[in-house]
Amino acid sequence: MDSLTMLMEGFGNALTPTNLLFAVLGVMLGTAVGVLPGIGPAMTVALLLPVTYNVSPSAALIMFAGIYYGGMYGGSTTSILLNTPGESSSVVTALEGNKMAKTGRAAQALATAAIGSFVAGTIGTALLVFFAPPLAKLVVQLGAPSYFALILLALIAVTAVLGNSRLRGFIALFVGLAIGLVGTTTGQARLTFDQPLLADGIDIVVVAVAIFALGEALWVAAHLRRKPLEIIPVGRPWMSKADLGRSWKPWLRGTALGFPFGAIPAGGAEMPTLLSYISEKKLTKHPEEFGRGAIEGVAGPEAANNASAAGTMVPLLAIGLPTTATAAVILAAMQSYGLQPGPALFDNEPLLVWTLLAGLFIANTLLVLINLPMAPLWAKLLRTPRPYLYAGILFFASLGAYSVNFQAFDLLLLLIFGVLGLGMRRFGIPVLPLIIGVILGPQMEYQLAQALAIDPSISTLWSEPVAVIVYAVVALGLVLLGLRSLRGRPDPLVDVVPHPDGSHESLGTHPDHEKVTR
């Protein structure tokens, strides 16, 4: 059957009253958690993972789609109203969005962010439907050597583009790979320390919740400001005809920039949001408003951010490669449902995949219908005192870790990895390479074993044309990175992270390039 027929079947499955209810619940939960200060989509998804465990896979995936988009919208709301981005891709939205809010145009900023997210998300999901199935058919024909090379490319690409310290990125990657080695999958105990409960390895959900939620809570507790947050009041979000006229072109340009960056292992949405902001600043007819609250500076980057989010689903579903922290947690969630994203997924579980794709369209639509009228309510959630907020995060993190295997031992692991997450933030080590290493390390080892089982010679690793091309891309990328380091070129995102107090922080040296912590 063709893609359109399968998509219609997916909509038929997704639009049942029960599944629609889960979609609404997902959007509201995702937004309610995502809107809280300092919490990005990755932590939102990780915290709400356990909520989806006791429902059917199709309902869980639809709810997850709602949580995913809701968490992203919540992050932009926090950026605009508090000048506190929940993740680095929301940084550029905060530059103009918060200025608009301070000049009494918070409602317009939230509206252009929400509608731009809808436009970009819809176009991005349509492109996902178009590109993912043929890519999966192409990848399924690849052998183990090519798949090994692709995973190596993803690991190096995601690690190398984060921050201005390649060493710290690769330290995080190797720590993640070491965690992925724990267990007895090869028939021989590795790093189990004679502990039987480690024989099956360490569950990625425990690692993700600990690194994101617990590490974040400990970090914020260590730097908790007693100064109350200044919340900008929000009326009913609306846009005038002039605002729409100034926003629709940035929405489309942002979408065109965001989707390709998301679909390739380029480190997430930071670069397309920055490029969108720069292009809108050059193309605007109102240059005097930039730096003071230009609506184009919110519309373009927010569209780029959401289009990139849709783009990350292409390598995730078609190849099984996550390229952002949020995508990594989504991969962990799908694995917990017994699904393995990758080339065989479209053949083995076609209805579930197309139900997820239909769920992305539905969640994107619900996002606008629900969140535009409820924006004042979400703004009130921002008044939650920080101690109560992070106490709640610790509770749900512990509940989520325990619900994986119902073993108290997982709570000990949660604490250990939470302290590791705190240490990584303290010493400026990005957490995304660690999460990617934990997930892709075992897959990489499996593909290596498969390749060497066919031919024990090391030359088998470059015995396929695709593998040779990928290794050439890796080599070229490493050479370019080396040249860039020798020239001492600065990170393009340095000095653009606004603090709530108006100061700025270098994103290049920030401990967590995927999630900006406060």
Side-chain angles (χ1 to χ4, degrees), residues 27 57 63 84 116 143 161 177 189 230 233 243 262 270 335 417 426 465 470 472 500 508:
V27 167
M63 187 177 180
T84 307
V161 298
L177 292 173
E230 297 177 5
D243 290 331
E270 294 84 5
Q335 289 174 339
F417 288 116
R426 169 63 183 83
V470 172

Side-chain angles (χ1 to χ4, degrees), residues 10-23:
F11 271 111
N13 192 32
L15 288 172
T16 61
T18 303
N19 285 345
L20 206 54
L21 179 63
F22 278 111

Side-chain angles (χ1 to χ4, degrees), residues 88-89 261 266-274 301 304-306 308-309 312 324 514:
S88 56
S89 56
F261 274 91
E270 294 84 5
M271 191 57 68
T273 53
L274 183 68
N305 188 15
N306 279 266
S308 177
T312 59
T324 65
E514 170 69 9

